[in-house]
Amino acid sequence: MTIVFCDVSDVVDAEAATIDLIARLALGAKRLGCELSLQGASDDLLALVFFCGLGEALRVELERHPEEREERGGVEEERELPDPSL
């Protein structure tokens, strides 16, 4: 299948109209036997795409670089809590 790459890096405002346009582009590409793939999407646009349930249909993957990952909080040691009835 042919993949059509759509550069959305200049999309500033992620809103429903933007998702509608992207979905229409994806449908048009599918009708022509192609698949639409978004490139350069902002975090806001990605969040809206996934909120609308179009992440898989638009070939969007969330990629996070190691320096962007949140570190897990420290693990507390297991211990006995004092008995409140005493």
Side-chain angles (χ1 to χ4, degrees), residues 26-66:
L27 181 60
K30 186 173 184 174
R31 288 180 177 162
L32 295 172
C34 302
E35 199 168 323
L36 186 70
S37 177
L38 298 182
Q39 302 291 310
S42 68
D43 290 340
D44 289 341
L45 182 57
L46 288 175
L48 192 53
V49 165
F50 279 99
F51 178 76
C52 293
L54 296 172
E56 288 184 31
L58 297 176
R59 295 181 52 92
V60 176
E61 294 181 15
L62 290 177
E63 293 182 16
R64 297 183 73 180
H65 301 287

Side-chain angles (χ1 to χ4, degrees), residues 15-24 45 48-49 52 54 58:
E15 53 190 35
T18 307
I19 297 300
D20 180 56
L21 178 62
I22 292 171
R24 289 175 186 268
L45 182 57
L48 192 53
V49 165
C52 293
L54 296 172
L58 297 176

Side-chain angles (χ1 to χ4, degrees), residues 59-77:
R59 295 181 52 92
V60 176
E61 294 181 15
L62 290 177
E63 293 182 16
R64 297 183 73 180
H65 301 287
E67 62 272 8
E68 294 175 354
R69 289 191 194 120
E70 295 178 16
E71 292 187 25
R72 292 182 180 222
V75 177
E76 294 183 23
E77 291 184 23

